[in-house]
Every structure is written in structure tokens, then in C-alpha cells.
């Protein structure tokens, strides 16, 4: 959004990753240098970590800073650059008091209780006016997506197409509906085995119906009777929207409609 990209298709990789297919005409023509610069702009946390730099130590893309409420962070007068990186103070800033936490952590039953302890300690420091925001840093370091730079900057780099099969899980690489993202469960995504069973069942049903239809047409329709159908419809809607935008852009460049009544 910061860079004006409009046609973005988000696709589950079939295992643990997500691909973003950017299909804007202008972006598809970008050079590797432009692509690399874009990835650098979007990279908040570098793989490998604590010593590589700290996520809040540099200006961030608006799409990241605004949702995290860093406008409030700046309004309170704290300098993002003034605070020491996490790796320079062990595993967290001084406001966390590392030694007491190390003593209390073993008493907690699981990571959920330890996280609550950590958040409580940081809330107290914020109320007292010391302004510790290490909880954001911990979440960003461990939860923010790591971007695959090589796939993004190299136009010839291999990237599996939507609806391909992941070789290790057998799951299909399916488009994601961002409006229903909280309902997405990767473990329920169709696999090549489940689709074969569904197609066999659909084929058995077809044999009981009128057999006048040609085999290619029947097979083309069969997928609609499988669990892959909603993902295909999502992909088709994306392509249709992109095509409408392309026609609108061509019309705008041509100066609009001309002609009589």
C-alpha cells in the first residue's frame, strides 16, 4: 500500500509460508535493483537476529508503524534511536530487570504464564514513566514475517505457482481470502490425496448421469465438486478484478469513449 501496489494475491505455500503475488503492470517490469530496494524497505526483522539490528531502531513503513500505535510512541517524546538494541542488553532492555525475571520464570508453569509475567512487568514500568516497550520488540522479533529476499528480487527465481502441490505436505498452494483470514486453517487445506478421492467420487456420480458430455468438459467441471472450488473462485475473482482495472486503464489512456449516439 505504501508503494501504490493494488493487485496483490496472497497465497498459502502449502506448508508454513505465504506468497504475495504482486500483479500490477508497472511492478512486473521492475528491475532487480528496484525489487531489492522494495524488500529492504519492507524488511523489519532480519533473519538471524539479535545482533543484526533492532526492529525499532530505524524509520518504519507506515503500514507497520501505524497499526502498532507508534504515533503515540513518538508523541510521548521517546526517541526510537535513543534506546539500546535488545542484543546489547542481554535479551531485553534494562527496564525489565533481567535477574528478577530469571528467578521468577522457573516458577511459572508454561510460556503463557511467563509472557503474562513479562507483560505485567513492562506495564508497571510504563505506568511509572520509564517508557519500556520491549513487549513490541519481543513480538516483532519472534512473530513478524521474514521476507525471502532472493525470491522477491530475482525475476528468474523459482516460486511455486498457485494450486501447485507442496512436495513435503501434499497440500495445495491455495489463494487466501483476506476478509476471512481469521477462519483460515492450513491443516484443512486440500491435499493431493484428498482431491483424488473427491474426483473419484465425482467421477462415479457422473457415470450414473448422462454420458453424452465430452471427457474434457466433464473433468473441467469436476473440480467444482471438490474442496478446491472456493479457492478457485477466489482466484477467478482476483483475475477478473485485475482485468477490469486493466481495461479501465487502457480506456483512460485512450482518452475515454468517442462516438455518436
Amino acid at each position: 500500500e505504501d508503494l501504490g501496489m493494488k493487485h496483490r494475491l496472497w497465497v498459502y505455500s502449502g506448508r508454513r509460508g505465504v506468497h504475495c503475488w504482486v500483479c500490477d503492470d508497472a511492478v512486473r517490469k521492475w528491475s532487480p535493483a528496484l525489487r531489492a530496494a522494495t524488500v529492504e524497505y519492507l524488511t523489519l526483522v532480519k533473519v538471524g537476529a539479535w545482533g543484526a539490528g533492532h526492529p525499532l531502531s530505524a524509520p518504519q513503513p507506515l503500514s507497520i508503524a501505524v497499526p502498532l500505535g507508534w504515533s503515540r510512541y513518538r508523541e510521548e517524546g521517546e526517541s526510537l534511536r535513543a534506546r539500546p538494541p535488545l542484543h546489547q542488553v542481554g535479551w531485553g532492555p534494562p527496564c525489565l530487570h533481567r535477574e528478577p525475571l530469571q528467578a521468577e520464570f522457573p516458577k511459572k508453569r508454561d510460556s503463557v504464564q511467563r509472557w503474562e509475567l513479562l507483560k505485567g512487568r513492562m506495564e508497571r514500568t510504563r505506568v511509572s514513566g520509564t517508557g519500556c516497550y520491549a513487549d513490541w520488540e519481543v513480538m516483532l522479533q519472534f512473530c513478524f514475517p521474514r521476507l525471502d529476499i532472493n525470491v522477491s528480487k530475482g525475476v528468474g527465481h523459482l516460486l511455486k505457482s498457485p494450486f501447485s502441490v507442496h512436495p513435503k505436505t501434499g497440500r495445495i498452494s491455495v489463494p487466501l481470502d483476506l476478509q476471512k483470514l481469521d477462519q483460515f486453517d492450513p491443516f484443512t487445506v486440500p491435499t493431493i490425496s484428498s482431491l483424488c478421492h473427491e474426483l473419484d467420487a465425482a467421477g462415479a456420480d457422473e457415470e450414473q448421469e448422462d454420458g453424452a458430455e465430452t471427457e474434457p468438459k466433464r473433468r473441467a467441471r469436476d473440480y467444482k465438486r471438490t474442496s478446491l472450488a472456493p479457492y478457485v473462485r477466489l482466484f477467478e475473482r482476483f483475475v477478473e478484478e485485475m482485468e477490469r482495472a486493466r481495461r479501465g486503464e487502457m480506456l483512460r489512456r485512450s482518452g475515454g469513449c468517442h462516438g455518436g449516439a
Side-chain angles (χ1 to χ4, degrees):
E1 291 174 356
D2 291 359
L3 301 174
M5 301 174 183
K6 296 179 180 179
H7 302 294
R8 305 182 302 275
L9 177 68
W10 295 88
V11 181
Y12 169 56
S13 71
R15 191 182 184 190
R16 60 186 180 189
V18 177
H19 304 155
C20 180
W21 289 80
V22 181
C23 300
D24 297 52
D25 283 346
V27 176
R28 295 207 303 268
K29 299 171 185 176
W30 278 6
S31 67
L34 270 175
R35 294 166 180 266
T38 301
V39 175
E40 184 66 26
Y41 172 72
L42 295 173
T43 298
L44 186 64
V45 179
K46 297 185 183 300
V47 178
W50 301 102
H54 121 277
L56 307 186
S57 63
Q60 306 303 337
L62 291 175
S63 56
I64 297 172
V66 173
L68 293 183
W70 290 349
S71 57
R72 181 195 65 180
Y73 194 88
R74 290 191 177 95
E75 287 170 4
E76 293 176 356
E78 277 215 334
S79 169
L80 295 178
R81 296 182 180 276
R83 292 179 300 108
L86 291 176
H87 67 277
Q88 291 182 5
V89 289
W91 63 276
C95 65
L96 292 181
H97 306 294
R98 181 180 180 185
E99 290 75 16
L101 281 175
Q102 283 184 322
E104 294 179 51
F105 266 21
K107 302 175 184 178
K108 301 301 179 181
R109 184 176 66 252
D110 52 32
S111 59
V112 175
Q113 291 188 354
R114 292 176 182 177
W115 178 244
E116 292 301 322
L117 170 66
L118 196 62
K119 286 202 300 183
R121 180 66 56 81
M122 287 181 282
E123 284 298 328
R124 288 198 296 272
T125 61
R126 279 198 280 267
V127 171
S128 66
T130 55
C132 176
Y133 283 84
D135 48 348
W136 288 113
E137 300 202 26
V138 171
M139 288 188 288
L140 287 170
Q141 283 284 357
F142 287 104
C143 300
F144 197 82
R146 269 65 169 167
L147 301 181
D148 189 329
I149 297 178
N150 292 325
V151 167
S152 300
K153 74 177 182 180
V155 293
H157 199 286
L158 177 64
L159 180 61
K160 291 189 292 295
S161 297
F163 303 108
S164 60
V165 182
H166 195 284
K168 293 187 177 180
T169 65
R171 296 194 191 103
I172 309 300
S173 179
V174 294
L176 297 173
D177 186 349
L178 297 188
Q179 301 302 318
K180 302 178 180 178
L181 196 57
D182 57 340
Q183 302 173 25
F184 178 74
D185 181 356
F187 297 107
T188 62
V189 168
T191 65
I192 186 65
S193 299
S194 68
L195 286 178
C196 286
H197 289 307
E198 292 171 0
L199 287 171
D200 287 343
D205 293 340
E206 286 288 343
E207 291 178 0
Q208 300 175 7
E209 299 175 4
D210 183 10
E213 190 175 39
T214 63
E215 181 70 9
K217 286 185 178 181
R218 185 182 67 78
R219 287 189 174 276
R221 196 183 71 242
D222 278 352
Y223 84 87
K224 297 180 180 179
R225 305 171 70 173
T226 71
S227 54
L228 199 63
Y231 301 106
V232 175
R233 285 197 298 270
L234 187 65
F235 181 77
E236 289 174 341
R237 285 201 301 270
F238 173 79
V239 174
E240 289 168 1
E241 291 172 4
M242 191 167 58
E243 178 62 17
R244 280 196 298 270
R246 187 186 70 85
R247 289 198 300 265
E249 179 64 17
M250 290 177 63
L251 186 63
R252 185 188 66 81
R253 291 179 179 177
S254 66
C257 297
H258 298 281

